[in-house]
Amino acid sequence: MQQPKAALAERIAERRWGGDDPRALVGEMRRSVLLVPVADGGLWSVRSGGVRWICGFTDESALARFALHHGPGDQPMEYAALLGARIVDEIVPALGEPAGLAVDIATEDGSMFFPPVAGIVAEAVAVDAGEAGEGTRERGPGHER
């Protein structure tokens, strides 16, 4: 049986090459357990383009690539194992600012960003929530208002 973390990495690869349904990718992210580094009592995140990105990894290898550049030296990197749905449904809304999920950011040609838009994060905190009924398309990173 295929583990969810491997399934998400495969869906990301398929999507990056132009295949797969974006809704299926979001569904896979929601069902997957992601490894999220913990630092200073909170989840590791970065700010870019007006968005706070929580960084999650599909497996320990992807987390290790990240830790090589951002880890605490020779100390092991602490992390939490969180369901993708919990990140986008509970944690992102609690941050009080536009936030999304960045997956496998240290994996060359394997990263994927799930921006703070309706259909990915809770509609109450989606940056495009007022536009959903106006026939506009979802916006991804680099297409902010």
Side-chain angles (χ1 to χ4, degrees), residues 54-135:
I54 297 171
C55 301
F57 300 89
T58 55
D59 59 29
E60 288 182 345
S61 296
L63 177 62
R65 284 188 290 278
F66 172 80
L68 283 175
H69 301 287
H70 301 285
D74 59 351
Q75 301 293 321
M77 181 173 265
E78 291 186 41
Y79 63 89
L82 300 169
L83 195 60
R86 181 165 184 219
I87 296 169
V88 296
D89 292 346
E90 297 175 24
I91 296 169
V92 164
L95 294 175
E97 64 182 301
L101 175 62
V103 177
D104 288 350
I105 61 170
T107 302
E108 189 174 330
D109 295 329
S111 62
M112 182 61 64
F113 290 79
F114 296 90
V117 296
I120 295 178
V121 300
E123 193 163 323
V125 297
V127 296
D128 67 340
E131 300 171 3
E134 298 172 14

